[in-house]
């Protein structure tokens, strides 16, 4: 049974595994001081077009979020996130475990606006309340939506005007940046955010995220924070090699484009069949609203997540494609979908 | 230049890389619920000879220590460790960052005894002081020494008698268990400790440690703690596959034996040349005390860590061998050492 | 200018000050081991009618909440509170600073129901999310409302059925229990909650809260937690003496009754004048909705808090009476109000 | 039985209680914004001779230490203290509970020197270890000794040269500053430290400490930290009034002088009788080494703490005098001591 449950069921791209096998025979410096990590960081800085950003490699998204956010904030400062934000829902209170409150705002589509954040600021006025200091956004969001250059610029300006840090969780950044609706670049992200991470785990590596710290005042002593959170990999080479492969040519974007194209194919079919979606996602996660009877039929042949009950007869499901999704499986799904709808 | 700096400069054993490449093509369940992780846990349980222990795979030693210790203790409870203990010195206060004090005792050789822990208990008598609750030991220790069955049994009995948890950091457990002086088995560890971890990172995998929780009262909800610390690997399969290879036959022990044998060869040469050692290590880390002039010559051709100044003319260095150390490099080192001493 | 801003502007009741002066000349045991603290705890246990509850005296509400909640929960467990709950809004993230997420539910009147908590439970299903474990309620609530015996019993049963702790913040418990609409007793609270505190600071003492731990499994080692949070008063006698005076006769309830009666007088006047209230509060905090022009006039002669904008021409204000509010000031206010409304 | 167990057995000085009674009738601003707190802060600034220091009133020593130290440090930074330091031994891991390691150095007399701290710096060299950032000293120390202007100046210069904060715990600062051997002033402390606190609890008030933050970079947002730790007193007036009385004339110093003089009388008698002391304390805690037989006799009539076993026949005890110790009790003790020694 082919599964569209998520984008991290498979291991790593063959080129990455080959590079790991080759590097495994070398003796490398440890804890991220190896030549591969340094080269990978350099490749990312080149891609971003700035020499002054700090690049650190960490092992996973939750680890990156908790390490970065707790490094950036003083104890009484809080993060602001969408209710649907990964740090709010799916990290078992990892941010709170480092001592920081996550303030949430309700959104329709997982995207934050200056107005939403302004409301939080308005409600936090003195020392009896936490002090909102960091705005957490995801791109793509947990429900597949993306920021445009206009919307992220507005948020960035707002943050700067209010002395807030803007932090972008890029667990699925590849999918966001290669979406047909996207007009943001890595360079834009470095200009607009104080820090963001380039997600690798969901885009072709065994594990690994590249945290980019753009704001100079947030760079100091970051490795101390990493080590304290158990977030410095002893064999840092393993992370470095994987990001070297992703960024020495266009592999990072090629893999994400493939995932998006696979989702596009499925989305088109579902749209054509006349169904709507819970979220206007142009990326590799789509959330069609389907009759329960149809869902039951699909479940016999494919794996996917139930997402939300819509009414007595219909539900939203989540279908996720990845760098590893074979086009043949997508074609089979589309054919089956077509048949079931008849 | 060949380096004896540590046992995690190289990547992973070829068999592990092959298994990862093969598994990479599969779709696996995520977050450690995959069949490889389950099989690896089963193999470890079989090796230990107990079905009732919980096995969790984590990414590194500091992460494992901080996750486990903070899971096991209430906020006012403290860990007791040797001054040289990894959690005391080399984890950037990771345990304290989870809220727990690390109480230290001075040791000659990195090994704890009941008497040392008793002294700590005697000094902590009421609610104005932390309550010592967990005894942290390493095997092999940070200076290469190991526990015997007699010494660990004494400590275990003492801990049980005093309602203390005994936790064993097995970052270099392979080297300890395959040392010629060792008489402990994995089964003994499960009987004598409340929890311990089987270190993979320093014994042939890209990264990974297998935490074994033996005390039933410490098992509950451990995965919540893992997730909160950013210590559940999304592609848990990557850890599972690696430990499957290590334990499906004798690879874990074979690799460690090799590392020990390489250290034995060097140790013998140094002993024969009449030099002494800072620590009576029978494992893969050795700490010879050598004339500074000799050290200078060795430094021209080999990498290793300076460890301690002994007097004006002599210092202790650390030489570490690993599963990946070629015997030819050891032979070359021995020959050079012999020549330099002449 | 007389101020109805809050119920802790004044110091302590004269009888309390006299008792402190007298006890000040004694030599007392320290850290709460003095005879006054023991006697006060005994008086409270008698009033509750149970010998098996633990009583601890702490210095203030936020301190009590953070000490108790962090003592009761494991790291990945969360508290559930109304959005208006003091721990959510007005404690600068004190609970999060101890590592715990506060999950919130929207309420109309500050009161939680089983249905609201059930919804939170439904949303938290596995180890990727915090585990709701403690339900935090306030009585009276932050907006003056109170639980009935029926409503609190329902919540208590729900909590027991779902292995949740029920914790009641009694910062204004005196006002709640002496409200005309109340049918709960201290004994009920001990039966229905796992822990609650009897607020002193807002009811006649210089400072101090009496935490009552009813659930035996939450009692162990609480003083360690207290000391670690800086919440054991060196001169514990000072707290003991004050609660001795409050509970050796009926002073605690008499003071609260007075505060309520003062609020009742004002409330009646405002109701009679035809105005409505933001919250159906039967206690010492009332939230009338008044024309802005009237508010302006009142502001010239009385202190109070602006609470919420209702529309362009009206706002809600908060008027608080206390044990120390002179009836003459209330009469003056009523007269002025009456005059201004004409 | 008169007790020399500690200096916080009694309540508050009569003048303080009178002032509290008087202020209790007023309506005061809350949370420390009242005129008494502002006046008390102003009096302290005047006494120090500097307008630029921030003064905050907190409830107790442990609370002050944990709030200040956690406010001053980033997560990976550590405090350095004497092994005997209050934060290391007698605060139940309060500093660690805020996430910070306490690094300790062995001292003969509880006093730190630049050499001792330098050794700690030498041992902490990279991101695998915590970063020592704050030096914690007590004056007088936990064993009664005091800093001289020379010794504290040396430590201060060392700290500045190494970008370390110097923080002074003044739980018994009154006794230190009025000791015959003292040559430091409050003004000196403001010049030499980054922050210190003026202990009230052990010098005549019901409870309260005045934290003085001298380093401008440590002032920002301190009240947020206070509130988060439950360390803002709702009726801040209570603290303000007490410190007003202590500092509106010389009461703070007079009370401490009395305590010292009482200790001097006892010390002289013991010295004349030919006994030695565990610690060269010129303050209100003295630690005579006495024959066990003599200790037994004293125990029949006086309270005091056993401190340390010296040998089979002798022990050190701790005798503490306070602002409240009647000279008549001291005379009685001296007479008894004299008689017992005969």
């Amino acid at each position: 049974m082919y599964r569209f449950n998520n984008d991290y069921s498979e291991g790593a791209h063959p080129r990455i595994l080959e590079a790991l096998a080759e590097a495994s025979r070398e003796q490398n410096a440890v804890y991220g001081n190896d030549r591969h990590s340094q080269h990978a960081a350099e490749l990312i800085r080149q891609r971003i077009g700035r020499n002054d950003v700090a690049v650190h490699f960490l092992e996973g998204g939750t680890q990156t979020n908790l390490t970065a956010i707790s490094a950036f904030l003083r104890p009484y400062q809080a993060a602001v996130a969408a209710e649907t934000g990964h740090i709010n829902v799916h990290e078992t209170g990892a941010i709170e475990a480092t001592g920081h409150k996550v303030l949430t705002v309700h959104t329709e589509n997982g995207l934050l606006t200056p107005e939403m954040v302004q409301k939080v600021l308005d409600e936090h006025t003195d020392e009896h309340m936490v002090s909102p200091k960091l705005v957490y956004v995801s791109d793509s969001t947990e429900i597949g939506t993306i920021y445009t250059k206009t919307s992220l610029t507005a948020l960035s300006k707002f943050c700067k005007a209010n002395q807030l840090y803007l932090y972008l969780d890029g667990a699925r950044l590849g999918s966001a940046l290669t979406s047909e609706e996207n007009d943001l670049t890595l360079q834009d992200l470095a200009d607009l955010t104080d820090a963001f991470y380039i997600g690798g785990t969901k885009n072709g590596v065994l594990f690994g995220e590249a945290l980019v710290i753009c704001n100079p005042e947030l760079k100091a002593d970051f490795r101390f924070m990493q080590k304290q959170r158990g977030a410095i990999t002893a064999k840092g080479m393993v992370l470095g090699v994987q990001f070297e492969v992703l960024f020495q040519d266009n592999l990072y974007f090629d893999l994400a484009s493939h995932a998006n194209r696979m989702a596009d194919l499925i989305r088109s079919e579902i749209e054509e069949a006349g169904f709507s979606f819970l979220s206007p996602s142009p990326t590799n996660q789509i959330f069609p609203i389907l009759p329960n009877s149809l869902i039951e039929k699909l479940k016999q042949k494919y794996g996917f997540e139930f997402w939300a009950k819509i009414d007595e007869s219909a539900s939203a499901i989540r279908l996720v494609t990845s760098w590893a999704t074979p086009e043949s499986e997508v074609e089979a799904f589309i054919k089956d979908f077509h048949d079931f709808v008849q």
Side-chain angles (χ1 to χ4, degrees), chain A:
Chain A
M1 176 187 282
Y2 193 77
R3 297 193 287 175
F4 294 97
N5 293 68
N6 59 57
D7 36 14
Y8 41 102
S9 294
E10 291 91 354
H13 189 272
R15 279 177 51 198
I16 284 168
L17 291 165
E18 285 160 26
L20 278 175
E22 189 166 341
S24 270
R25 290 187 285 269
E26 309 163 358
Q27 282 196 308
N28 268 292
V30 293
Y31 300 123
N33 296 314
D34 60 288
R35 64 187 178 86
H36 297 287
S37 297
Q38 288 168 5
H39 185 219
E42 183 54 29
L43 288 171
I44 288 172
R45 279 192 291 262
Q46 284 173 14
R47 182 80 56 158
I48 291 172
R50 275 178 51 184
N51 287 320
D52 63 331
V53 300
V55 179
H56 300 277
F57 299 103
L58 292 94
E59 296 166 352
T62 298
Q63 187 189 76
T64 304
N65 287 336
L66 79 87
T67 303
I69 293 174
S70 69
F72 299 162
L73 298 182
R74 290 195 66 195
Y76 60 90
Q77 295 175 334
V80 181
E83 272 177 4
T84 47
H86 202 262
I87 59 167
N88 185 45
V89 185
H90 282 106
E91 300 190 354
T92 319
I95 304 304
E96 290 86 354
T98 68
H100 301 280
K101 195 176 186 73
V102 177
L103 299 165
T104 58
V105 298
H106 180 72
T107 72
E108 288 306 310
N109 53 14
L111 299 164
L112 291 183
T113 65
E115 293 68 31
M116 296 172 185
V117 182
Q118 181 64 59
K119 190 157 170 292
V120 174
L121 295 186
D122 291 345
E123 291 168 355
H124 293 83
T125 54
D126 66 29
E127 70 264 27
H128 293 265
M129 289 162 268
V130 290
S131 180
K133 183 64 182 175
L134 179 145
V135 174
Y136 167 95
V137 295
S138 312
D139 193 34
S140 67
T141 69
E142 295 74 9
I143 51 174
T145 51
I146 63 171
Y147 285 87
T148 61
K149 188 162 181 176
T150 302
S151 64
L152 195 67
T153 300
L155 198 55
S156 175
K157 279 186 181 168
F158 177 84
C159 287
K160 280 191 176 59
N162 290 280
Q163 286 83 50
L164 302 173
Y165 301 131
L166 180 58
Y167 171 79
L168 188 144
D169 180 331
R172 291 191 175 93
L173 187 58
S175 181
L177 294 185
T178 58
S179 164
E180 292 205 349
E181 297 189 7
N182 173 69
D183 62 353
L184 283 164
T185 63
L186 280 180
Q187 191 158 354
D188 292 333
L189 295 185
D191 290 344
L192 297 175
T193 74
D194 294 278
F196 67 100
Y197 82 82
I198 302 171
T201 302
K202 291 166 180 165
N203 198 28
V205 301
L206 291 175
F207 70 113
E209 326 294 329
L211 176 69
V212 180
I213 307 180
C214 316
N215 182 336
E217 74 183 59
L218 299 181
K219 288 182 197 170
D221 295 335
F222 188 77
R223 278 175 63 83
F224 284 83
M225 295 297 306
Q226 255 185 285
K227 179 66 191 174
Q228 188 179 70
R229 303 301 185 190
I232 286 188
T233 308
K235 297 183 183 177
M237 166 275 285
V238 176
L239 294 167
V241 164
Q242 295 186 93
F243 275 90
E244 259 186 315
V245 176
L246 286 180
F247 282 95
Q248 68 200 3
D249 53 24
N250 219 43
L251 186 62
Y252 185 76
F253 299 98
D254 292 345
L255 293 179
S257 287
H258 174 81
N260 282 349
R261 195 165 62 81
M262 295 303 100
D264 291 348
L265 293 173
I266 297 174
R267 187 189 302 105
S268 296
E269 172 64 25
I270 295 174
E271 281 175 346
E272 279 174 29
F275 298 109
S276 65
F277 293 81
L278 193 67
S279 156
S281 163
T283 57
N284 73 319
Q285 300 185 88
I286 57 177
F287 302 81
I289 297 171
L290 303 175
N292 292 340
S293 56
L294 174 55
I295 292 172
E296 279 308 304
K297 286 180 194 156
L298 290 169
K299 267 175 64 178
Q300 305 306 313
K301 299 193 66 173
Y302 300 96
F304 49 81
E305 301 289 322
F306 172 86
W307 199 256
K309 177 179 171 176
I310 301 299
D311 58 33
E312 289 311 310
S313 63
S315 303
I317 63 170
R318 183 180 75 157
L319 297 168
V320 190
T321 56
S322 85
W323 63 276
T325 306
E327 188 155 354
S328 57
E329 297 287 357
V330 169
E331 287 167 355
F333 178 89
I334 288 172
K335 182 173 182 312
D336 283 328
F337 188 89
H338 199 261
D339 292 349
F340 295 156
V341 170
Q342 299 306 316

